[in-house]
């Protein structure tokens, strides 16, 4: 029998509907503004739709010879993907050592690493910049990537997950003659796929949306990333909101694609603790 509609269910549905509208409304406004001509950008009274939509803003960003948007987009992809891959490699190796290896000072080193999470990232900007400058990586994509590949939260996340992997599984592989690298690649990594998926999505989104560090690193147009480039579209007197909104809508595409293809691993990783606990 179907349960009847109750007041509680109606209230929950209304709350979900209102919350969904609050979340969707900014994206809708972004989209509508990106489809407006600059001559009707600020209509009075304001409207939630466009009577004569145009793709001129997108064409100006993507096809104009004077537009650096495609280069910013490629730079952001390179920085985000490379940082994500390197972070997964380093964080998984460190997490495996902390979770399944025994060595002097293991707990003390792990706690010291965790303590660094309490240091605000802005405090480390100047030391990081001085180190990058010493290696002559200022105004380069590597200067944006290298300082961001050490992810202490990622080490903690993967370490907690790998600690739940039965040690007997690892010992059985070693008895069968598997090397340490083979144990890591063939057993640890596949079993930790869901947790690594969470870390990959989190790292990619953080790098894709990062503004402060790329802004410090980028001195020329050729190494700017999307957030830096979009922020630079604002002129001293005129702010082209139509172009900014169009660029913002285009910047959503990679994040949406990553989440669509990795959502299964993301959901599994987020729920793994509840299932195992």
């Amino acid at each position: 029998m179907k349960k009847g509609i109750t007041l509680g269910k109606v209230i929950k549905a209304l709350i979900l509907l209102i919350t969904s509208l609050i979340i969707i409304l900014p994206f809708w406004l972004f989209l509508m503004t990106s489809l407006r001509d600059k001559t009707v950008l600020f209509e009075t009274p304001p409207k939630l739709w466009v009577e004569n939509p145009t793709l001129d803003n997108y064409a100006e960003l993507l096809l104009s010879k004077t537009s650096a948007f495609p280069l910013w987009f490629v730079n952001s992809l390179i920085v985000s993907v490379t940082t994500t891959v390197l972070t997964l490699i380093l964080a998984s190796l460190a997490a495996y050592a902390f979770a399944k290896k025994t060595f002097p000072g293991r707990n003390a080193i792990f706690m010291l690493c965790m303590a660094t999470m309490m240091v605000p990232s802005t405090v480390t900007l100047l030391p990081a910049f001085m180190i990058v400058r010493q290696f002559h990586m200022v105004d380069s994509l590597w200067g944006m990537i290298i300082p961001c590949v050490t992810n202490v939260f990622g080490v903690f996340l993967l370490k907690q997950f790998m600690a739940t992997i039965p040690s007997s599984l690892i010992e059985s592989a070693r008895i069968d003659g598997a090397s340490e690298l083979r144990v890591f690649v063939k057993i640890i990594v596949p079993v930790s796929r869901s947790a690594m998926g969470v870390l990959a999505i989190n790292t990619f989104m953080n790098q894709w949306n990062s503004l402060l560090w790329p802004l410090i690193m980028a001195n020329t147009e050729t190494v700017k990333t999307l957030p830096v480039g979009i922020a630079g579209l604002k002129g001293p007197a005129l702010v082209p909101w139509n172009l900014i909104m169009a660029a913002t809508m285009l910047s959503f595409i990679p994040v949406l694609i990553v989440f669509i293809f990795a959502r299964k691993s993301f959901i599994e990783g987020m729920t793994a603790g509840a299932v195992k606990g």
Side-chain angles (χ1 to χ4, degrees):
M1 293 180 64
K2 294 183 178 180
K3 296 182 179 179
I5 299 176
T6 62
L7 180 61
K9 291 182 179 180
V10 173
I11 293 175
K12 289 180 181 178
L14 288 175
I15 292 175
L16 289 174
L17 178 61
I18 294 172
T19 304
S20 301
L21 290 175
I22 293 174
I23 295 173
I24 293 173
L25 183 59
F27 293 95
W28 177 256
L29 293 177
F30 285 161
L31 178 61
M32 292 299 101
T33 305
S34 70
L35 296 175
R36 294 179 189 273
D37 187 83
K38 59 184 178 181
T39 58
V40 292
L41 194 56
F42 300 103
E43 291 183 310
T44 304
K47 297 179 181 179
L48 293 177
W49 62 90
V50 181
E51 294 181 354
N52 298 304
T54 177
L55 295 176
D56 290 346
N57 300 321
Y58 292 93
E60 184 173 349
L61 286 173
L62 298 174
L63 304 178
S64 174
K65 294 182 179 179
T66 59
S67 174
F69 181 87
L71 182 60
W72 302 340
F73 195 94
V74 172
N75 287 343
S76 285
L77 275 179
I78 294 174
V79 171
S80 301
V81 172
T82 305
T83 303
T84 301
V85 172
L86 292 178
T87 297
L88 287 176
I89 294 173
L90 294 178
S92 59
L93 288 170
Y96 175 57
F98 284 126
K100 294 300 180 182
K101 291 298 194 179
T102 302
F103 53 89
R106 182 185 67 173
N107 294 334
I109 296 174
F110 182 71
M111 293 305 297
L112 182 61
C113 292
M114 294 300 101
T116 62
M117 295 178 64
M118 295 185 290
V119 180
S121 59
T122 51
V123 174
T124 62
L125 284 177
L126 181 57
F129 176 78
M130 294 176 66
I131 294 173
V132 170
R133 187 177 62 179
Q134 290 295 322
F135 284 93
H136 306 288
M137 291 192 295
V138 175
D139 199 30
S140 70
L141 297 183
W142 283 113
M144 302 180 193
I145 295 170
I146 297 299
C148 301
V149 299
T150 53
N151 191 324
V152 178
F153 171 75
V155 175
F156 171 75
L157 175 68
L158 296 182
K159 185 261 183 185
Q160 296 301 104
F161 190 92
M162 291 178 183
T164 64
I165 300 175
S167 298
S168 58
L169 188 64
I170 300 174
E171 293 300 328
S172 298
R174 288 173 180 164
I175 292 173
D176 291 338
S179 63
E180 201 65 47
L181 180 61
R182 188 175 182 84
V183 169
F184 177 77
V185 173
K186 295 296 184 179
I187 297 178
I188 300 299
V189 172
V191 174
S192 306
R193 183 180 60 182
S194 57
M196 294 180 71
V198 174
L199 178 59
I201 293 175
N202 183 68
T203 304
F204 183 88
M205 292 183 66
N206 286 340
Q207 286 302 114
W208 185 261
N209 297 320
S210 178
L211 172 62
L212 185 56
W213 183 247
L215 181 62
I216 295 173
M217 284 291 101
N219 295 331
T220 58
E221 201 75 19
T222 55
V223 297
K224 286 184 177 180
T225 57
L226 265 181
V228 179
I230 293 174
L233 290 176
K234 295 181 180 179
L238 180 64
V239 180
W241 289 113
N242 52 331
L243 294 180
I244 292 175
M245 294 304 174
T248 303
M249 290 304 301
L250 290 172
S251 70
F252 289 151
I253 296 175
V255 177
L256 183 62
I257 292 174
V258 168
F259 185 79
I260 289 175
F261 284 97
R263 69 185 187 280
K264 183 177 180 180
S265 296
F266 180 78
I267 294 172
E268 288 178 356
M270 294 299 292
T271 57
V275 174
K276 291 179 180 295

